[in-house]
Amino acid sequence: MAIITVRNLRKEFKVYQHRAGLLGAMRNLASSKYSIIKAVDGISFEVHEGQIIGYVGPNGAGKSTTIKMLTGILVPTSGEIDVAGLAPFRNRRENARRIGVVFGQRTQLWWDLPVIESFQLLRRIYRVPLDRYKKNIDMFHDLLNIGEFINTPVRKLSLGQRMRCDLAAALLHDPMILYLDEPTIGLDVVAKQRVRGFLGDINRERRTTIILTTHDLSDVEKLCERMMIIDHGKVIYDGTVDEIKRRYGKKRRLVVDLAGEYDEIAIPGTELIRRDNSRAWLQFNRDEISASQLVAQVTQKYDIVDLTLEEPEIETIVAGIYEDGIT
């Protein structure tokens, strides 16, 4: 059963054209010209309970605008949104009780207060029962390791510490749906791993539905089975991460460590894209030659120390889709 249903959703903005200088300012008063920007242009999709979906696209594609309409912050120009039986922009208060939101570059915590006091304020705002609040705080201690800085003012936290606290704040009232807009932006590798692990645990244990917008596609690869790509306000791909790799990640690389010295390394159906002394990188199309066939040819022709097969990175595949489109 779908927990989120979106039908032909559109959001347009008027962008006024301002003329420079004194004469231009006077002309602006007399006539205001504007153009229409289609931030979201007729998208439709469904999200089922318990899914983690990666919602990705280049800057200006419409990702954040979609999230803001789903949360009720923005009113759609046209189309329909149903979030657990509610229209978010008409039922903002009821919708807010069912969702959690984290914007990576903003915080819902009070800047000068200790983290625990922000949590206590949020408990009262959302009317979370005391026993449930204590249970959730204990869980956040275990999964996010926030106990060591929970009494520290928010302004003194590192970015990684604040992000972990923002995640805890968004989940304090046990929301059905969690919207994440760039939740790992600016985090180091350790902090990213902790956040990803926490999100996976929350999804498995609570069946929390998660929609994740990010430019870090490794987040999508490690957390999501399904991903949606939006570009110029339209959804251009909606499917599994594995499927997009299969369809658009046909070029693979075989890394060969040679035992001897060879003036030339050439295998039919491959391209030598790099060589570093005794190591060579051969690129091939898996539809034209299989990895096992290539390995057999290489080992027959050269003395080999080691072989490594490199799969295409999801970032490279999606970047190619941005540039060339879906085929």
Side-chain angles (χ1 to χ4, degrees):
M1 181 178 177
I3 194 170
I4 298 174
T5 302
V6 172
R7 290 284 179 268
N8 201 27
L9 185 64
R10 300 177 188 276
K11 182 60 182 178
E12 299 176 350
F13 295 98
K14 290 182 179 180
V15 178
Y16 287 91
Q17 300 173 359
H18 292 281
R19 304 172 184 86
L22 179 59
L23 181 58
M26 295 176 65
R27 293 176 65 190
N28 288 335
L29 292 174
S31 96
S32 297
K33 292 185 178 180
Y34 62 85
S35 57
I36 299 294
I37 302 297
K38 295 180 179 180
V40 173
D41 189 12
I43 65 173
S44 299
F45 61 85
E46 290 185 349
V47 178
H48 294 275
E49 183 181 2
Q51 285 189 315
I52 306 181
I53 295 179
Y55 193 56
V56 305
N59 288 330
K63 304 186 302 296
S64 295
T65 301
T66 305
I67 296 299
K68 288 174 182 177
M69 286 190 284
L70 290 173
T71 57
I73 295 173
L74 289 178
V75 178
T77 302
S78 64
E80 299 177 4
I81 306 176
D82 184 298
V83 177
L86 299 174
F89 60 94
R90 293 195 188 99
N91 310 101
R92 287 178 176 156
R93 182 171 294 182
E94 294 87 346
N95 185 61
R97 294 186 182 280
R98 300 182 183 186
I99 66 172
V101 184
V102 176
F103 291 101
Q105 298 182 12
R106 301 177 182 85
T107 182
Q108 60 180 311
L109 305 172
W110 280 263
W111 198 243
D112 293 311
L113 294 181
V115 174
I116 188 63
E117 292 189 26
S118 289
F119 288 168
Q120 291 167 353
L121 284 168
L122 289 169
R123 180 181 82 83
R124 289 173 172 80
I125 290 172
Y126 286 103
R127 300 177 184 176
V128 181
L130 186 59
D131 58 340
R132 196 170 98 193
Y133 168 77
K134 290 180 177 179
K135 182 180 178 180
N136 283 343
I137 291 295
D138 290 341
M139 181 189 67
F140 298 146
H141 282 327
D142 293 338
L143 296 180
L144 287 171
N145 194 25
I146 62 175
E148 60 190 47
F149 49 80
I150 199 168
N151 292 304
T152 303
V154 174
R155 57 184 168 79
K156 292 187 178 181
L157 300 180
S158 69
L159 179 59
Q161 291 171 335
R162 180 177 65 75
M163 185 54 61
R164 281 144 63 187
C165 291
D166 268 314
L167 280 170
L171 291 162
L172 199 62
H173 57 294
D174 295 329
M176 302 165 61
I177 304 166
L178 179 63
Y179 299 105
L180 303 173
D181 191 359
E182 301 287 355
T184 61
I185 188 170
L187 301 187
D188 59 34
V189 174
V190 175
K192 284 184 179 182
Q193 289 177 341
R194 187 182 293 275
V195 168
R196 290 169 184 160
F198 173 72
L199 293 174
D201 290 339
I202 287 294
N203 175 256
R204 285 188 297 271
E205 294 176 11
R206 295 188 175 186
R207 295 288 295 165
T208 304
T209 303
I210 300 174
I211 297 183
L212 167 68
T213 75
T214 180
H215 285 293
D216 188 344
L217 293 176
S218 58
D219 289 344
V220 176
E221 193 167 17
K222 289 178 171 60
L223 286 170
C224 308
E225 289 186 2
R226 176 184 172 192
M227 70 182 296
M228 298 169 61
I229 302 176
I230 184 172
D231 195 15
H232 294 98
K234 295 180 180 291
V235 173
I236 60 173
Y237 176 83
D238 185 355
T240 66
V241 175
D242 288 341
E243 175 65 13
I244 203 169
K245 285 183 176 181
R246 187 189 67 79
R247 287 174 59 187
Y248 302 103
K250 296 181 179 181
K251 289 187 177 179
R252 307 165 83 186
R253 293 179 182 180
L254 184 69
V255 184
V256 182
D257 287 321
L258 302 164
E261 295 291 332
Y262 297 94
D263 295 332
E264 183 183 30
I265 301 172
I267 299 292
T270 71
E271 178 187 359
L272 179 65
I273 60 172
R274 181 182 169 192
R275 185 171 180 182
D276 185 6
N277 296 323
S278 62
R279 175 168 290 187
W281 283 258
L282 298 171
Q283 184 167 275
F284 65 101
N285 187 322
R286 67 183 182 188
D287 286 349
E288 298 173 358
I289 183 172
S290 70
S292 59
Q293 290 173 329
L294 177 57
V295 169
Q297 290 185 38
V298 170
T299 53
Q300 185 178 10
K301 191 171 183 180
Y302 304 102
D303 292 328
I304 303 300
V305 176
D306 196 11
L307 293 168
T308 305
L309 187 65
E310 292 184 349
E311 294 290 343
E313 295 183 351
I314 188 73
E315 288 90 346
T316 304
I317 296 170
V318 174
I321 291 174
Y322 292 163
E323 294 173 1
D324 303 327
I326 293 287
T327 57

